[in-house]
Amino acid sequence: MTVRLIKLVLKALGVVVTLLVALITIAIWVLDDNDYRKISIYLAERFTGRTVAIDGPFSLTVSMHPTLSVSGVRIDNPSWATQPYLAQIGHLNVQMSLRQLLLGKLSVPLLAVSDAQVNLEINADGLRSWTNDTRRPEPTTKSFRVPAYGDVKLKNFTGRYLDTVTGLKTVVELTTLSIDEVDALNQLKAQGRWNDRAFSASGSSGTLSDALESTKPFPVDVAMSLVGLDLTMKGTIAEPTDGDGLDIHVTALSSDVSKIGLALGEDAAVKGQLTGSADLRGNLAAPEFANINLTVTGGQKEPTASTKIVLAGDIAGMHLGGQTFMDGVDIKAGVNAPSTVISHLLNAHLPDLGPVESSFSLTGSSKTLRVSNTQLKIGDGTDLTIAATGGVTALQVMPALAMSGLDFQLRASAPTVADAVKPIGLTLPDLGPVSASAQLGGDLQQLDLDQIDLRVGGSIHPMQATGKIENILIQGNKSANVAITGAVTPWLVGLVGRKLPDLGIMNVAVQVSRVAGNLQLDHVQIVADDTDILSIKATSAAVRDPKTGRAALDIDIAAKNLEVVGSIIGLRIPALGPFSYSGRLMGKLGVLSTTGKGRLGQTVFTENLSATFSGARPRVSGQVSTPVLYLADIGIHPDGPWQSSAPDDARAKPRALPFGALRAVDLVLLLDIDQIEGQDMSIDRGRLDLALETGVLQIKPLRFDTVGGSFTIDANVDARSLPTQITVDAAGENIVLEQVFKQVQRTVPLDGELDFLLKLNSSGDTLGELVSTLEGSTDFAISRGHIYNRYFDLLGSSLIHWLLLGREVRSAPDLRCFVGQFAIDAGDARVRTLLLETASTISRASGNIDFAGKTLDILVRPHSLTSQLLITTPYQVEGPWSAPRVRYSELRVAARLVAELALSPILTIQELAHLLRGRKVERDNLCLEWGPTPAELAPSSASSFKPGSPGYSIDPIRASSYVALTDTHLRHGPGTNFKIAKTFVPGETMEVTGKLRGLNWYTVTMSHDRQGYVWGKLIRPAN
């Protein structure tokens, strides 16, 4: 650009000199100095089309070598220019040769200029400030007239050039420039600054007479030093006044090319020595650069990395003006450098991929360059290697960078997947070798990656994916579109290290756009060819997140069953489903929220969750609710996946439970269920309040209401340190066992209504450790049930009594009471109380149940309730849970048979007497009297209980009649430890006025407006 500016300045000075010569020729003997001033202004304005003013002295000395001296010259710029003046000259002193002018040559023996400034500018519309022509000139090879200068003196000269189209801005300041004839040569000396950076030039050329005579080539020998770059130009010019016949050899040398970049305000990536040479031929209007050789050798800023850049070839024409800057380009280039250098040169953040070797050819012109014979290799062959071949049909450098017709064949390979992803900071397991190929094509407006062929795994985990990516640079208003198809199951198997269901061919589609400089995910779709297996879609929503202003994503997920999802994320989930979810994802990477609706089988649920990722752990909070939870949908049904169990393998290594996941996330979740439906089972309402904070999981509480009953669970899991500590408190009442057993399809030979209390704690990280460290207590009571064993009553009644009961009664004896109390220590449950009572038998037991070893050892002692004469037979139940053994004394059984035969007449008469007068229960049912009193209601003494005291609430009931089912005690407080105020006989009615909230105790009106309490299992509504 400096050459262009100097050329324009020389031409401008030539124009000024020509005008002055015309002035002298016309009025050399007629006009005075003032007339000369006016005529000069007139001619200058006609030639430039600009307003011209001469404010200082004006004088002309008339002779064969006329001399003009003028001061204060100003030439205005057009109104759109940023500078007010095209040129300002403080003082101009010029001498011309009239004789040479008459011969058609412009000779200037003396030129002295001081305090001058020239401002050249091109605006955004391409208009130039120094001409009225709006068109850029086309390149030309025609010579132009160059003045032949003698002595030249320039002092304090400034030239400015601004091209708004290309953004190029150049300022040249000449402090001094002198050309003096010494020893038959013109000696050149110059000092100044270029864009505020010092430069100097010195050398010699032919004299003024040499330029005018042209009897021999005009010699040139000039050296210039500029911002760390030394240039030399040595040769001849055949016709110096026409600028024809250039034969000049140019050399360039820099000890450190990075200094040039730093001087220009750029942090250069390459550091090393630059050497270059070329032959300058032709004419100054369109010089030809032949035999170009440019080499940069050295290293990056790190001394261990080496760089070599080589350019060689020719440029047929360099045009210092016009639309085409150069033509006839034929250059071959080679680049060997670390990939970090290439990243810096491209101003892109690329990973360190190792050394880069490349070569290519450039042909054409600056208007349309062609890149061909490209050979590119990245990497040293040990890890990831990338190669490319191809070219670019059209590459435009000026006025702005543009490319079209890109056509590159890309290839990449790596020994393992881990090697392939290592440069981008990912860590993946060894899945075998990787190879990929693709076709890169298009232009800078839309660059496409087509014919993608990715292969992973070889024979280990073979996977192949094909597809394309459109508009990979996301230019303009267009989105980038990614479409990939492949069988990914083998690759995922290697990635997660476990067996996965076959997902078949997966089709992935992604659409990404750029909004306000930020990337925005508009659409994601992952669909298997068999769409029942898995389908994931994400589409940019029409609404925007009010907090971030970013577009939300509408998400749709569908899977044939949850086993597919669980196997991918590493959770053992049975084949439950089908599963679907539709919702909206909002926020940004650090803070996300989702709202949506899902379906699992028949169960429909809604969720409103938010997640933050700014702390030490992700934090998820929100609510999940469903109107109806179908147990069959979560696998709790007769044929459900939870029912099957693999045989125990004593040699198998205990599997650690996933307690570590509790330390990875914080969670605050409310699970709300209006109704739970199962097979012959209905639970009215369930609520789970779950909190997970710094590795401590709290359930407070999980509560379900059943028909006539309820149960609650409070749990705490502390996984902050090893081993994990677990505490569980649970209570339930009026739970119908028949419904539970049908739901899970367990064959248990009894039913009834269950009440229980559990207080357990344990520690460990495997199931075996938790069982072996289990401690606490458990109490239960089952009443109003049946035992489905026709021979059970034979334990405590005679054969005659058993036969007289009838077939129906024998097949399912009534279970009056089954009470158990266990003390658990180190995984071993010791029986404190175990009592089972029917109409004929009461059995008591003692012993142990080993939870860790899954064995039991129970001694049962039955007693007859029908005859005191009967000899009963104790028996031992022992062995593994899955197949316990029953042992008894054969001698005692034989003795019982002999006794029953001997006493059969008496036993028969006894049974007939009972039948004639009817049976009557003369003893209290201890099982029905068993009723848990919560700790908050347990008084220190019976008299301390006050109705309405803090700790419980009473829900009023419209006065209604209830009937006692058995001998029912009315107590002074809600618990068996309170005194009995009255006993209702079976069938007797009472007025119930309220129920204790959360408990199965009812309030009954007594005399004198007093209030008593009965247990809900002993009464029922009269109607």
Side-chain angles (χ1 to χ4, degrees):
M1 194 63 247
T2 305
V3 176
R4 181 179 181 180
L5 180 59
I6 293 173
K7 170 192 166 183
L8 292 173
V9 171
L10 291 175
K11 290 178 67 177
L13 292 175
V15 169
V16 173
V17 171
T18 301
L19 292 174
L20 294 174
V21 170
L23 169 67
I24 295 170
T25 303
I26 296 172
I28 195 168
W29 301 105
V30 178
L31 305 175
D32 59 19
D33 289 346
N34 195 41
D35 294 327
Y36 297 151
R37 180 198 303 268
K38 294 179 181 179
I39 294 174
S40 298
I41 292 174
Y42 172 77
L43 293 175
E45 289 181 345
R46 288 292 303 271
F47 182 81
T48 63
R50 304 283 185 264
T51 300
V52 178
I54 301 177
D55 299 328
F58 188 101
S59 66
L60 177 64
T61 302
V62 180
S63 68
M64 291 302 293
H65 290 84
T67 303
L68 173 67
S69 179
V70 61
S71 299
V73 179
R74 290 183 289 107
I75 303 176
D76 288 351
N77 247 333
S79 59
W80 50 262
T82 58
Q83 297 291 331
Y85 301 113
L86 174 65
Q88 288 179 289
I89 302 175
H91 183 75
L92 170 66
N93 192 17
V94 58
Q95 184 183 77
M96 294 161 290
S97 173
L98 190 59
R99 178 175 175 274
Q100 294 295 330
L101 183 62
L102 296 175
L103 294 175
K105 297 180 179 181
L106 183 58
S107 173
V108 183
L110 173 66
L111 174 66
V113 181
S114 62
D115 301 325
Q117 187 179 104
V118 176
N119 302 304
L120 307 178
E121 185 173 348
I122 301 176
N123 69 5
D125 297 326
L127 297 178
R128 291 159 292 159
S129 64
W130 62 92
T131 177
N132 292 325
D133 189 1
T134 60
R135 298 169 299 172
R136 284 179 177 265
E138 287 298 322
T140 178
T141 58
K142 294 181 180 180
S143 62
F144 58 89
R145 187 68 63 182
V146 177
Y149 290 98
D151 292 340
V152 177
K153 305 291 184 183
L154 268 67
K155 185 178 181 181
N156 297 333
F157 174 85
T158 301
R160 292 186 174 88
Y161 177 83
L162 173 63
D163 190 338
T164 308
V165 176
T166 62
L168 181 61
K169 182 178 181 180
T170 300
V171 178
V172 176
E173 298 174 274
L174 281 173
T175 306
T176 60
L177 184 149
S178 64
I179 301 176
D180 300 308
E181 184 175 342
V182 179
D183 297 331
L185 288 175
N186 276 350
Q187 301 295 326
L188 168 69
K189 291 184 180 180
Q191 287 186 339
R193 303 184 72 81
W194 173 41
N195 289 342
D196 203 30
R197 293 167 185 87
F199 73 89
S200 62
S202 62
S204 63
S205 65
T207 63
L208 177 61
S209 60
D210 293 333
L212 297 175
E213 296 293 337
S214 295
T215 58
K216 60 181 179 179
F218 188 79
V220 175
D221 187 358
V222 178
M224 177 181 291
S225 177
L226 173 66
V227 290
L229 179 65
D230 295 328
L231 295 172
T232 65
M233 293 178 288
K234 187 173 183 179
T236 62
I237 305 175
E239 297 291 340
T241 57
D242 295 329
D244 284 334
L246 298 176
D247 187 9
I248 298 175
H249 185 67
V250 181
T251 65
L253 178 65
S254 175
S255 60
D256 187 357
V257 71
S258 65
K259 294 180 180 179
I260 301 175
L262 291 173
L264 297 175
E266 298 289 340
D267 185 10
V270 180
K271 180 178 182 180
Q273 186 180 36
L274 178 146
T275 59
S277 64
D279 293 327
L280 186 61
R281 298 172 181 170
N283 60 68
L284 287 176
E288 172 189 350
F289 285 83
N291 303 320
I292 298 172
N293 282 285
L294 178 67
T295 303
V296 177
T297 57
Q300 198 185 5
K301 293 188 176 181
E302 294 79 7
T304 58
S306 60
T307 300
K308 184 174 183 180
I309 302 174
V310 178
L311 296 175
D314 305 297
I315 300 176
M318 296 283 288
H319 308 282
L320 302 182
Q323 295 179 341
T324 305
F325 174 65
M326 57 184 176
D327 59 16
V329 177
D330 185 6
I331 293 178
K332 292 179 174 57
V335 178
N336 294 339
S339 58
T340 50
V341 173
I342 306 301
S343 175
H344 195 102
L345 289 174
L346 298 177
N347 194 26
H349 297 286
L350 302 178
D352 186 358
L353 301 175
V356 176
E357 300 177 13
S358 67
S359 62
F360 55 91
S361 299
L362 288 173
T363 57
S365 66
S366 59
K367 193 172 183 180
T368 305
L369 280 172
R370 180 182 179 86
V371 183
S372 59
N373 302 322
T374 300
Q375 299 287 334
L376 172 67
K377 180 183 176 183
I378 303 175
D380 57 8
T382 58
D383 295 327
L384 177 64
T385 301
I386 301 173
T389 58
V392 181
T393 303
L395 172 64
Q396 179 181 309
V397 180
M398 297 183 66
L401 180 64
M403 283 190 293
S404 63
L406 277 83
D407 186 8
F408 287 93
Q409 180 66 38
L410 308 180
R411 298 181 306 278
S413 62
T416 67
V417 171
D419 293 326
V421 301
K422 183 167 57 176
I424 59 176
L426 292 179
T427 302
L428 293 178
D430 183 3
L431 303 179
V434 179
S435 64
S437 63
Q439 193 77 23
L440 181 65
D443 51 38
L444 289 183
Q445 282 67 47
Q446 179 165 331
L447 201 58
D448 301 331
L449 201 61
D450 205 354
Q451 302 177 28
I452 297 173
D453 187 349
L454 172 65
R455 305 188 183 205
V456 178
S459 60
I460 303 175
H461 299 290
M463 184 205 80
Q464 181 179 8
T466 59
K468 63 180 180 179
I469 304 175
E470 298 177 348
N471 194 24
I472 61 176
L473 298 180
I474 318 179
Q475 297 287 356
N477 297 323
K478 297 181 180 179
S479 300
N481 298 293
V482 182
I484 302 293
T485 299
V488 298
T489 305
W491 184 74
L492 289 176
V493 169
L495 185 65
V496 302
R498 58 180 177 274
K499 186 178 180 181
L500 298 176
D502 187 2
L503 301 176
I505 301 297
M506 300 296 294
N507 300 287
V508 180
V510 180
Q511 188 177 70
V512 181
S513 63
R514 194 185 302 274
V515 178
N518 298 315
L519 293 182
Q520 174 178 291
L521 189 62
D522 295 329
H523 178 76
V524 176
Q525 180 173 315
I526 303 174
V527 182
D529 271 358
D530 180 2
T531 54
D532 287 342
I533 294 180
L534 180 64
S535 171
I536 302 173
K537 299 179 183 178
T539 307
S540 181
V543 300
R544 292 189 174 273
D545 186 341
K547 295 182 179 179
T548 65
R550 298 185 179 182
L553 285 179
D554 287 335
I555 298 175
D556 294 282
I557 303 174
K560 186 176 183 179
N561 57 65
L562 286 182
E563 183 181 18
V564 176
V565 180
S567 61
I568 294 175
I569 64 178
L571 296 178
R572 185 178 176 272
I573 302 177
L576 305 174
F579 170 78
S580 63
Y581 171 81
S582 295
R584 178 162 291 168
L585 175 66
M586 294 186 293
K588 54 185 179 180
L589 289 180
V591 182
L592 297 174
S593 63
T594 63
T595 57
K597 178 181 289 188
R599 176 183 289 270
L600 178 61
Q602 299 182 73
T603 301
V604 177
F605 63 89
T606 58
E607 60 82 17
N608 188 346
L609 302 174
S610 62
T612 59
F613 303 91
S614 57
R617 293 169 302 280
R619 182 178 183 85
V620 180
S621 60
Q623 180 174 357
V624 178
S625 60
T626 177
V628 181
L629 171 63
Y630 293 92
L631 294 180
D633 293 334
I634 59 175
I636 303 177
H637 58 88
D639 299 320
W642 306 108
Q643 314 311 322
S644 61
S645 59
D648 293 336
D649 186 355
R651 296 172 298 176
K653 183 179 179 180
R655 180 178 296 179
L657 297 172
F659 292 132
L662 301 181
R663 298 187 291 270
V665 66
D666 291 340
L667 186 65
V668 178
L669 182 66
L670 176 63
L671 178 61
D672 205 350
I673 304 172
D674 288 342
Q675 187 175 354
I676 300 177
E677 288 293 336
Q679 180 173 314
D680 300 325
M681 180 179 183
S682 179
I683 299 176
D684 292 338
R685 184 174 178 82
R687 183 182 177 91
L688 169 63
D689 191 355
L690 187 149
L692 173 59
E693 189 82 27
T694 63
V696 179
L697 174 65
Q698 291 181 311
I699 301 175
K700 46 178 185 181
L702 168 62
R703 177 180 176 86
F704 289 103
D705 294 329
T706 64
V707 177
S710 64
F711 65 89
T712 59
I713 299 175
D714 286 86
N716 184 286
V717 181
D718 188 347
R720 288 175 294 183
S721 60
L722 299 179
T724 302
Q725 307 291 324
I726 299 178
T727 303
V728 178
D729 291 341
E733 57 182 18
N734 291 358
I735 298 173
V736 180
L737 290 178
E738 181 181 9
Q739 297 178 355
V740 176
F741 294 149
K742 282 184 177 180
Q743 187 63 41
V744 299
Q745 201 185 32
R746 286 289 188 263
T747 303
V748 180
L750 61 84
D751 63 19
E753 297 180 9
L754 171 69
D755 298 286
F756 68 87
L757 281 176
L758 292 175
K759 290 185 176 295
L760 303 173
N761 60 80
S762 183
S763 63
D765 293 290
T766 67
L767 184 59
E769 291 174 352
L770 291 176
V771 173
S772 62
T773 59
L774 193 63
E775 295 182 351
S777 64
T778 177
D779 302 343
F780 72 87
I782 302 174
S783 61
R784 298 181 188 174
H786 300 85
I787 298 175
Y788 296 101
N789 188 317
R790 66 178 60 193
Y791 304 108
F792 186 85
D793 268 347
L794 280 175
L795 295 172
S797 63
S798 65
L799 180 61
I800 295 172
H801 172 80
W802 182 73
L803 292 172
L804 292 175
L805 288 175
R807 176 179 296 180
E808 183 177 350
V809 175
R810 287 199 305 269
S811 62
D814 290 340
L815 175 63
R816 297 188 65 208
C817 175
F818 185 15
V819 173
Q821 294 180 321
F822 296 86
I824 304 173
D825 183 21
D828 186 52
R830 178 177 55 83
V831 176
R832 293 190 300 180
T833 301
L834 192 60
L835 180 146
L836 187 149
E837 181 178 345
T838 67
S840 304
T841 307
I842 182 169
S843 299
R844 291 180 172 83
S846 60
N848 294 78
I849 300 176
D850 185 356
F851 291 105
K854 298 182 180 180
T855 61
L856 51 84
D857 185 7
I858 303 294
L859 176 62
V860 182
R861 296 182 178 87
H863 299 278
S864 174
L865 296 178
T866 60
S867 175
Q868 297 179 353
L869 301 175
L870 189 65
I871 301 174
T872 58
T873 305
Y875 56 92
Q876 189 93 13
V877 182
E878 61 183 7
W881 295 357
S882 57
R885 300 181 300 276
V886 178
R887 295 192 301 110
Y888 54 87
S889 171
E890 296 180 357
L891 180 61
R892 194 175 181 95
V893 172
R896 174 180 173 176
L897 292 175
V898 172
E900 284 201 37
L901 288 174
L903 298 174
S904 58
I906 298 175
L907 293 174
T908 301
I909 295 172
Q910 192 176 49
E911 289 298 324
L912 291 174
H914 283 310
L915 290 174
L916 290 174
R917 66 173 180 265
R919 298 185 181 275
K920 181 179 179 182
V921 179
E922 297 179 353
R923 59 188 304 281
D924 288 340
N925 186 335
L926 297 179
C927 189
L928 293 178
E929 289 297 321
W930 184 89
T933 301
E936 64 269 20
L937 295 182
S940 57
S941 64
S943 60
S944 65
F945 174 78
K946 302 295 183 182
S949 62
Y952 73 98
S953 301
I954 298 176
D955 294 325
I957 296 177
R958 190 172 183 179
S960 180
S961 295
Y962 277 67
V963 177
L965 298 175
T966 182
D967 292 338
T968 302
H969 297 313
L970 180 66
R971 297 182 179 273
H972 288 285
T976 54
N977 54 337
F978 290 95
K979 291 182 178 180
I980 299 173
K982 177 183 177 180
T983 301
F984 295 96
V985 299
E988 187 175 354
T989 61
M990 64 196 76
E991 294 296 319
V992 173
T993 59
K995 182 181 183 297
L996 270 70
R997 185 173 301 169
L999 300 174
N1000 199 22
W1001 285 87
Y1002 289 80
T1003 58
V1004 176
T1005 301
M1006 299 169 56
S1007 58
H1008 306 292
D1009 295 328
R1010 291 186 301 165
Q1011 186 170 261
Y1013 299 83
V1014 296
W1015 194 32
K1017 294 193 66 173
L1018 306 180
I1019 59 176
R1020 64 170 175 80
N1023 56 358

